[in-house]
Amino acid sequence: MTKNSLGKFVSSIGAFAVVSVASLLPTSLFAEESGLVNVYSARKEALIKPMLDRFSEETGITVNLVTGKADALLKRLEVEGSASPADLFVTVDAGRLHRAKVAGVLQVAGSEKLNEVIPSSLRDADGYWYGMSQRARTIFYVKDKVNPEELSTYEDLADPKWKGRICVRSSSNIYNQSLVASMIDANGVEKTEEWAKGLVKNFAKPPSGGDTDQLKAAAAGVCDLALANTYYFGRLLNSKDAEAQAIASKLSAFWPNQDGRGVHMNVSGVGVTKHARNIANAIKLMEFMASDASQLWYAEANNEYPAVSKVKIPANLATMGEFKTDDIVLSKLGDNNRAAVELMDRAGWK
């Protein structure tokens, strides 16, 4: 079975079918340290495969890639159990990485190299996962409606002056949950709940859609501010589509809490799966992803910021300016996730 046909075959079987058909997969897929590595990725193929192909060219190690939705892939790993062919799990947001750790589908990687190059705040304290790129969840404002001098902090978004002026997606979204989890760490549950209630009162519309939809709504005049991850704006900003560029031209990023803890940052990351059979190759691939060249490509391709601090910020993001980042240990976002979800429910954030 070729690499392409294998990928199509594995991606075509549902999470609940994998266990029963695992015995049909080629023996080489399960061979320990067999010159290959199997990757489950929540990142789209175009945003990761070129880097994986370069890894194969340089090392001779074949990479089998399966892509899918983040939550579906995590569920798949749980259901497959010891029958899973996956060696690496690539997903987005520290909250999801924490869920994977708690679900018991990851194992400690034990890479000294990764511990050296990935800042401690961007990786699991126990070594179960490592951040590979960063994204800020920040405030975007409509340039002809908002004076940036009116903006200051996330906390200020609960001020009545923003009533009916804010667009943000649902509380079921992990990105919002992680933002709230970071605020719980900074301000405590009681103050954060009070803030969330104020924020809900300022919504311009009921939460719906993704981050791009919030940015489009702001550009269309539905709201004056939108909370979104920077890479969604980066996609619009660097798109060849005239409509996307027109949306981006109406908006600008504001970096909140610059006189305090800094803007909320999160990661996309990777971990070795619990039942990996190609562990050494999996760690080699993780270390390759953390190399300077890979970090620059990965950041540029995804409109994100490198996880390795010495790697320069891609030119397509440098135009958004410099900013201070919150240095919270991202594993705390997972620790605070349940409290964040419950708090958002109480606040009426749908």
Side-chain angles (χ1 to χ4, degrees):
M1 184 177 288
T2 66
K3 180 171 66 175
N4 289 338
S5 62
L6 173 61
K8 291 179 180 178
F9 173 72
V10 175
S11 62
S12 70
I13 52 181
F16 292 93
V18 173
V19 174
S20 62
V21 302
S23 60
L24 300 178
L25 295 173
T27 303
S28 61
L29 189 65
F30 294 91
E32 185 175 355
E33 312 303 353
S34 58
L36 59 82
V37 60
N38 304 309
V39 179
Y40 280 9
S41 173
R43 308 232 71 158
K44 294 180 179 179
E45 183 173 312
L47 302 179
I48 192 171
K49 191 173 184 300
M51 180 172 58
L52 303 182
D53 289 343
R54 190 163 62 247
F55 171 75
S56 294
E57 292 172 3
E58 293 187 13
T59 64
I61 298 171
T62 299
V63 180
N64 295 311
L65 175 65
V66 176
T67 60
K69 297 292 186 180
D71 293 336
L73 286 176
L74 174 55
K75 182 63 177 179
R76 180 169 174 167
L77 283 169
E78 292 182 82
V79 172
E80 289 175 339
S82 60
S84 179
D87 300 307
L88 277 183
F89 181 41
V90 178
T91 193
V92 292
D93 198 278
R96 284 199 178 105
L97 289 159
H98 178 78
R99 288 177 186 174
K101 175 185 175 181
V102 171
V105 301
L106 302 179
Q107 64 174 285
V108 175
S111 167
E112 291 184 7
K113 182 175 182 179
L114 290 175
N115 289 337
E116 289 176 2
V117 300
I118 304 297
S120 59
S121 61
L122 302 183
R123 52 184 164 88
D124 179 61
D126 299 318
Y128 282 88
W129 56 262
Y130 293 85
M132 287 295 162
S133 63
Q134 300 184 81
R135 70 280 293 277
R137 189 157 192 78
T138 194
I139 302 167
F140 291 91
Y141 64 93
V142 180
K143 290 188 284 189
D144 63 359
K145 290 185 176 181
V146 177
N147 182 338
E149 293 183 0
E150 298 178 75
L151 296 164
S152 57
T153 63
Y154 294 109
E155 288 80 358
D156 180 65
L157 295 179
D159 190 292
K161 70 182 178 182
W162 301 117
K163 185 175 178 61
R165 302 176 69 185
I166 298 175
C167 286
V168 64
R169 66 198 293 178
S170 169
S171 63
S172 64
N173 173 251
I174 189 69
Y175 307 149
N176 285 333
Q177 293 172 10
S178 289
L179 172 62
V180 174
S182 73
M183 296 185 72
I184 289 174
D185 183 75
N187 302 322
V189 171
E190 185 176 342
K191 288 185 178 180
T192 303
E193 183 172 341
E194 182 181 350
W195 167 82
K197 289 177 179 178
L199 180 71
V200 169
K201 291 178 181 178
N202 292 339
F203 287 173
K205 62 180 182 64
S208 63
D211 279 11
T212 301
D213 296 304
Q214 314 313 314
L215 297 173
K216 287 181 177 179
V222 176
C223 49
D224 298 337
L225 304 178
L227 273 171
N229 284 352
T230 44
Y231 65 89
Y232 289 100
F233 181 72
R235 290 177 186 173
L236 295 171
L237 189 66
N238 298 300
S239 173
K240 295 180 181 180
D241 180 73
E243 182 180 354
Q245 292 178 0
I247 292 169
S249 70
K250 296 180 180 180
L251 308 174
S252 187
F254 178 83
W255 309 113
N257 297 78
Q258 293 302 285
D259 293 330
R261 65 184 181 276
V263 68
H264 170 66
M265 295 291 283
N266 211 308
V267 292
S268 71
V270 60
V272 178
T273 61
K274 180 178 180 179
H275 300 289
R277 293 166 176 81
N278 304 292
I279 297 175
N281 292 342
I283 293 175
K284 285 180 183 177
L285 178 51
M286 289 170 60
E287 292 175 346
F288 179 85
M289 293 174 69
S291 67
D292 291 358
S294 293
Q295 281 283 294
L296 181 58
W297 181 88
Y298 197 51
E300 288 178 338
N302 289 278
N303 290 294
E304 294 182 329
Y305 297 88
V308 176
S309 57
K310 68 176 180 177
V311 177
K312 67 177 183 180
I313 295 174
N316 57 358
L317 292 183
T319 56
M320 295 173 65
E322 297 182 356
F323 52 91
K324 175 184 176 182
T325 64
D326 187 351
D327 61 359
I328 180 176
V329 176
L330 293 186
S331 58
K332 290 184 179 180
L333 304 184
D335 294 337
N336 291 342
N337 180 264
R338 180 173 179 175
V341 172
E342 293 174 347
L343 177 161
M344 296 164 88
D345 286 344
R346 293 194 300 269
W349 188 337
K350 304 298 184 182

